[in-house]
Amino acid sequence: MTQPRRSRPPRLHGRAAGVVLAGGSGTRVGAGINKAFLSLAGRSIAAWGLNTLAAVEGIGLLVFVVRPEDLEHARFVDSRETDWPLEIITGGETRQESELFALRHLADRIDSGAVDTVLIHDAARPLVSHGLVSAVLHAARETGGAVPGIPADDIAAAGPGDSLAAGPDGHRGALVRVQTPQGFHAATILDAYEAAARDGFVGTDTASCAEEYTDIPVTWVRGEETNFKITYAQDLLLAQDVVSALGLRSG
Ligand SMILES: C[C@](O)(CO)[C@H](O)COP(=O)(O)O
């Protein structure tokens, strides 16, 4: 059931921009529509992450990246499921291209200094916590780039180039399972994506492009097991269980 629409406070302050990516087909979940718009405890999967990012001090605007065929769904999320206005744009053929389009959408505000940091998040990770978004934002502001990660203790060894620069709890250089949101100094990551576009580079996530095209020592903060990505139908069932077990609500 959809929540009643609430009035939108004239809030958006802060120089960080949140970007939520729902530009893939998201069909492996097998529901016939993009998983980002499936319902999780009364709101779309995408709305959960959007509302969490919106609540974080320092995030001043939200860009929601969707496929052209999902624009109607996105407008519904904007008008009925989030309290803050979304800037809805259409993405590209790949994640890399969708990120590029989001950064270009912000380019004027990045150039003017109105946006200093960008946090890029998967719509398919609805249960990211306020604390984790905040931690990534703070770390990104300190170091230029930060991602959430969970040490992959079950993997025996990390080869050179497989690891991030530094992380918490003595896990420096450890191999980690990377999540989102991934936060970066805005002007640096915009330049990186423009350079990558010129080269035809296609990375797997924001950190991979940063590692290829910037000198930022991408650091990581401890991620959360509950911040898993919904890919298959069973992931949605798990998310529903987590929501009810932890008594979570969106917005
Ligand atoms: C960025 C990411 O969430 C890291 O785990 C993951 O690579 C996203 O994959 P997707 O196929 O672009 O959703």
Side-chain angles (χ1 to χ4, degrees):
M1 193 182 71
T2 307
Q3 305 290 322
R5 182 173 181 173
R6 288 169 289 175
S7 62
R8 296 176 166 196
R11 175 186 164 262
L12 298 181
H13 54 82
R15 291 200 297 148
V19 172
V20 173
L21 301 174
S25 64
T27 49
R28 276 179 289 175
V29 86
I33 67 164
N34 186 331
K35 64 189 172 191
F37 301 103
L38 290 175
S39 177
L40 172 61
R43 288 190 192 213
S44 64
I45 285 172
W48 281 76
L50 287 160
N51 281 318
T52 300
L53 264 68
V56 170
E57 185 69 31
I59 293 185
L61 66 97
L62 291 173
V63 181
F64 188 27
V65 187
V66 301
R67 299 184 304 171
E69 54 267 53
D70 289 330
L71 277 170
E72 197 71 16
H73 289 304
R75 290 190 193 108
F76 180 85
V77 172
D78 179 39
S79 63
R80 300 296 300 272
E81 297 191 328
T82 56
D83 287 340
W84 293 282
L86 307 177
E87 299 185 17
I88 299 171
I89 66 166
T90 51
E93 292 298 312
T94 59
R95 178 191 191 89
Q96 178 86 26
E97 208 177 20
S98 292
E99 291 173 309
L100 172 68
F101 291 175
L103 291 165
R104 282 185 180 160
H105 173 78
L106 295 169
D108 286 349
R109 285 169 283 183
I110 293 173
D111 288 347
S112 73
V115 168
D116 68 354
T117 309
V118 177
L119 261 59
I120 299 187
H121 184 58
D122 297 334
R125 294 184 185 272
L127 301 184
V128 65
S129 74
H130 181 284
L132 181 55
V133 178
S134 235
V136 171
L137 176 55
H138 284 107
R141 286 212 158 118
E142 265 176 32
T143 66
V147 302
I150 295 185
D153 293 331
D154 50 343
I155 295 174
D162 284 341
S163 59
L164 298 168
D169 306 342
H171 277 97
R172 180 170 293 271
L175 193 66
V176 294
R177 286 186 281 130
V178 168
Q179 304 179 333
T180 67
Q182 303 191 353
F184 288 90
H185 180 257
T188 309
I189 203 69
L190 171 59
D191 287 351
Y193 271 77
E194 290 295 3
R198 286 192 292 275
D199 289 355
F201 171 87
V202 178
T204 51
D205 61 0
T206 326
S208 63
C209 186
E211 282 166 354
E212 195 69 24
Y213 286 97
T214 77
D215 293 330
I216 293 171
V218 181
T219 189
W220 59 280
V221 302
R222 187 166 286 276
E224 296 168 335
E225 293 291 357
T226 45
N227 184 25
F228 58 86
K229 188 155 73 80
I230 293 179
T231 305
Y232 299 104
Q234 61 267 31
D235 302 323
L236 181 54
L237 294 176
L238 179 60
Q240 282 158 350
D241 283 351
V242 172
V243 166
S244 51
L246 301 182
L248 302 177
R249 53 184 292 277
S250 166

